[in-house]
Amino acid sequence: MRDLVYPPVIGFAKTALKVLDLKFQLTGAENVPRTGGAVIAMNHISYVDFVLGGFGALPSKRLVRFMAKEVLFRNRYSGPLMRGMHHIPVDRSAGTASYRQALEYLNAGEVVGVFPEATISRSFELKEFKSGTVRMAAEAAVPVIPLILWGTQRMLTKDHPRDFSRHRTIAITVGEPITVTPDDDPAEATTHLRSTMAGMLDRTIRAYPEQPAGAWWLPAAYGGGAPTPEEAERLDREELARRAARGK
């Protein structure tokens, strides 16, 4: 797969991050295979996760093909970039097409980035996972690489103004590969993946250099001011209702 757009975009992103003087805590990057297909499963706490999540694979010299909302591919600005970087458009009304494209990429030896939660978590804890991640990994006979992002929610997330202040820390934790086979129960495999990532998230949060009590970007379970998972679920339902009302 020819990549004329991806390398310059990475170069631009590195320059922007250098200007912001972001400090990266990257651990476990050696778990991303240097060759062959793989599914990278990431938590979702920010609109910039698909940018910074890809940095976890750069030490292995891999480019991540993200599964992202189809609307981004229709935007006059982001569309050419998303297509040029060979990301995968996801139309929820026709999800089979994106699933098949992801399988084609995996069978061709590409790394596909997936957000099993499907949407941003307002609580910054893990939401329920969709089973598509483990199903595609099993069908393509490739490993699932769990990856946790932390700190990206401070930059740009739901319900809060953007804040690209300098000198912040972005933590990226890459876990060991998880093998899933066609004989495995997708629900059980998904539960195992989520449990693994929940443990990784806990360790990443506790190792993060800042733990200010009451901070809006810190989960309620850690003394922060973020909504509890139950409150976040209510906010998600209200958001969906507003969208439905606008669509009528």
Side-chain angles (χ1 to χ4, degrees):
M1 188 176 294
R2 296 184 65 191
D3 281 297
L4 302 179
V5 176
Y6 218 141
V9 170
I10 291 175
F12 175 81
K14 285 183 175 180
T15 299
L17 297 178
K18 187 174 183 180
V19 170
L20 291 176
D21 191 29
L22 295 183
K23 299 173 177 60
F24 280 86
Q25 286 185 341
L26 175 58
T27 59
E30 69 278 1
N31 289 315
V32 179
R34 291 185 173 271
T35 59
V39 177
I40 293 186
M42 307 181 190
N43 65 320
H44 203 4
I45 54 177
S46 168
Y47 291 109
V48 298
D49 288 341
F50 75 96
V51 177
L52 296 173
F55 277 75
L58 289 184
S60 294
K61 302 186 185 303
R62 304 304 301 272
L63 299 178
V64 181
R65 316 298 177 179
F66 283 94
M67 300 186 74
K69 290 181 180 179
E70 186 268 343
V71 65
L72 294 173
F73 293 76
R74 289 188 281 110
N75 183 277
R76 62 183 298 185
Y77 301 108
S78 63
L81 294 176
M82 298 297 285
R83 293 189 294 271
M85 291 186 283
H86 305 291
H87 293 316
I88 302 169
V90 177
D91 183 347
R92 293 181 181 176
S93 64
T96 302
S98 58
Y99 183 87
R100 303 313 305 179
Q101 185 177 356
L103 284 178
E104 290 177 6
Y105 278 20
L106 293 170
N107 289 325
E110 296 288 339
V111 176
V112 173
V114 179
F115 298 104
E117 299 165 279
T119 60
I120 289 175
S121 169
R122 285 181 159 97
S123 71
F124 309 128
E125 297 185 57
L126 297 182
K127 296 164 64 73
E128 292 302 312
F129 279 18
K130 308 295 184 183
S131 64
T133 301
V134 299
R135 288 191 290 108
M136 73 170 63
E139 189 169 345
V142 301
V144 177
I145 313 296
L147 185 151
I148 290 295
L149 289 161
W150 192 249
T152 58
Q153 77 275 28
R154 302 176 67 184
M155 301 173 71
L156 184 61
T157 193
K158 288 186 175 182
D159 306 327
H160 295 277
R162 70 186 67 186
D163 184 356
F164 292 97
S165 300
R166 303 180 70 230
H167 315 306
R168 286 187 173 157
T169 299
I170 301 296
I172 303 176
T173 304
V174 186
E176 295 182 357
I178 297 174
T179 300
V180 186
T181 73
D183 294 330
D184 292 329
D185 179 79
E188 292 181 0
T190 299
T191 297
H192 174 64
L193 173 62
R194 186 180 183 281
S195 176
T196 298
M197 292 180 64
M200 292 169 56
L201 177 61
D202 177 69
R203 293 190 295 274
T204 302
I205 292 175
R206 295 184 186 281
Y208 196 71
E210 297 178 60
Q211 303 285 338
W216 67 262
W217 50 266
L218 194 63
Y222 294 80
T228 65
E230 295 75 21
E231 292 169 339
E233 185 177 350
R234 174 181 57 80
L235 292 171
D236 288 344
R237 289 196 301 268
E238 292 174 356
E239 180 184 19
L240 289 174
R242 289 194 299 270
R243 288 182 180 179
R246 289 197 298 267
K248 290 182 180 180

